[in-house]
Amino acid sequence: GPFRQAPARKGALVDARGVSSIETRRMLLQYAEALCAKRLVLASASPRRREILSNLGLKFDVVVSKFDEDLDKSQFPSAADYAKATATHKALEVANRIEKEEEEGSTPFMIVGSDTVVEAPDGTIMEKPGNDEEAMRMLLSLQGVTHQVHSGVGIVFPDPARPDSKLVKSFAETTRVTFAPLQEAEMRAYIKTGEPFDKAGGYGIQGPAGAFVSSITGCYFNVMGFPVHKFASKLSTMIEEGEVKL
């Protein structure tokens, strides 16, 4: 629908539904204390995801997923669907492993998996570059144009009463990122830092490559690796509607 201005706190961003982002964050913050009393698991080794989630006041145990991330990209209608499926597989692998290994009474409240991919303007799905040449090819295809970053999230809520039944929720978020035109020397210097190699698309917006980005449309944290606004909003709604019990 059309963008409606709604009364909001000074400095609050207002989205199309007239809900300020501060309010959405407060929606989850009112549950943060109750959530901190539960065991929360992050199925990711990414320090960036851990940092983004800890900014919400949530404490997570990190159990790195062993899922191979080898899904056939051609089987998915979009790059966002591919990221969402990979994220869900990561969370389910950890949930199933915890179920087998854990003692009674330590069932997590939820396991969160996430996967971020960069979609080049020609539709190619980019993951992490394997070497300098691959990183250079990725940066060359992104410089001077707008690309999309998709983060998928899969959340598994185990039911301690019924080990075989799990509630699984997944979603994806997309941000459009525009790079300024870059000189080859800049790209080579960036690759030399070693930064591109653990990052989808060969760059991290929160590091030196932030200087390459002339604009973004959408969630900044999504580009970092976790769509925190959408996560907070989805989880709050599930708690409010009684879909999950705190």
Side-chain angles (χ1 to χ4, degrees):
F3 184 84
R4 287 196 320 279
Q5 187 64 37
R9 272 166 192 268
K10 206 170 172 200
L13 295 170
V14 178
D15 73 11
R17 296 186 314 266
V19 178
S20 83
S21 57
I22 287 176
E23 278 166 39
T24 303
R25 189 150 179 249
R26 200 185 302 123
M27 276 173 9
L28 189 65
L29 289 183
Q30 70 195 32
Y31 303 119
E33 205 176 322
L35 284 165
C36 280
K38 308 269 187 192
R39 185 176 179 213
L40 311 176
V41 172
L42 176 60
S44 169
S46 161
R48 295 170 294 280
R49 291 192 181 118
R50 197 163 62 228
E51 180 197 336
I52 291 167
L53 283 162
S54 68
N55 286 345
L56 277 177
L58 302 179
K59 297 182 189 73
F60 279 78
D61 290 345
V62 173
V63 180
V64 180
S65 177
K66 294 178 180 172
F67 178 66
D68 281 339
E69 301 190 35
D70 56 359
L71 299 175
D72 179 357
K73 295 181 182 71
S74 67
Q75 298 303 303
F76 294 91
S78 71
D81 286 306
Y82 168 76
K84 188 165 72 173
T86 300
T88 306
H89 279 286
K90 284 182 180 178
L92 281 167
E93 187 279 322
V94 168
N96 292 332
R97 189 153 35 103
I98 286 175
E99 201 178 289
K100 287 193 193 83
E101 293 171 4
E102 297 293 314
E103 62 281 3
E104 286 299 303
S106 66
T107 304
F109 172 69
M110 67 178 176
I111 297 112
V112 179
S114 187
D115 185 57
T116 300
V117 297
V118 169
E119 182 181 356
D122 67 359
T124 305
I125 297 176
M126 295 178 174
E127 293 183 274
K128 296 165 187 169
N131 53 44
D132 287 16
E133 289 72 38
E134 217 174 305
M136 190 59 157
R137 271 202 305 277
M138 287 181 179
L139 292 170
L140 279 168
S141 73
L142 299 178
Q143 64 94 28
V145 292
T146 299
H147 63 274
Q148 297 185 92
V149 179
H150 309 282
S151 285
V153 176
I155 314 174
V156 178
F157 298 90
D159 183 346
R162 292 175 301 161
D164 294 335
S165 80
K166 297 176 182 69
L167 175 62
V168 180
K169 286 280 166 187
S170 60
F171 61 88
E173 182 68 290
T174 299
T175 303
R176 294 171 66 78
V177 180
T178 304
F179 269 28
L182 303 175
Q183 295 173 343
E184 192 174 330
E186 284 180 286
M187 293 184 273
R188 292 220 177 279
Y190 180 58
I191 291 165
K192 221 178 198 169
T193 66
E195 265 253 320
F197 299 106
D198 68 336
K199 296 175 182 70
Y203 78 95
I205 196 168
Q206 71 286 349
F212 301 163
V213 177
S214 57
S215 70
I216 76 165
T217 306
C219 176
Y220 168 85
F221 295 103
N222 193 51
V223 185
M224 253 179 94
F226 195 80
V228 68
H229 173 83
K230 199 163 192 177
F231 170 78
S233 175
K234 294 263 183 205
L235 187 54
S236 299
T237 302
M238 291 179 75
I239 295 167
E240 272 155 29
E241 293 178 355
E243 198 173 356
V244 292
K245 302 265 190 295
L246 273 184

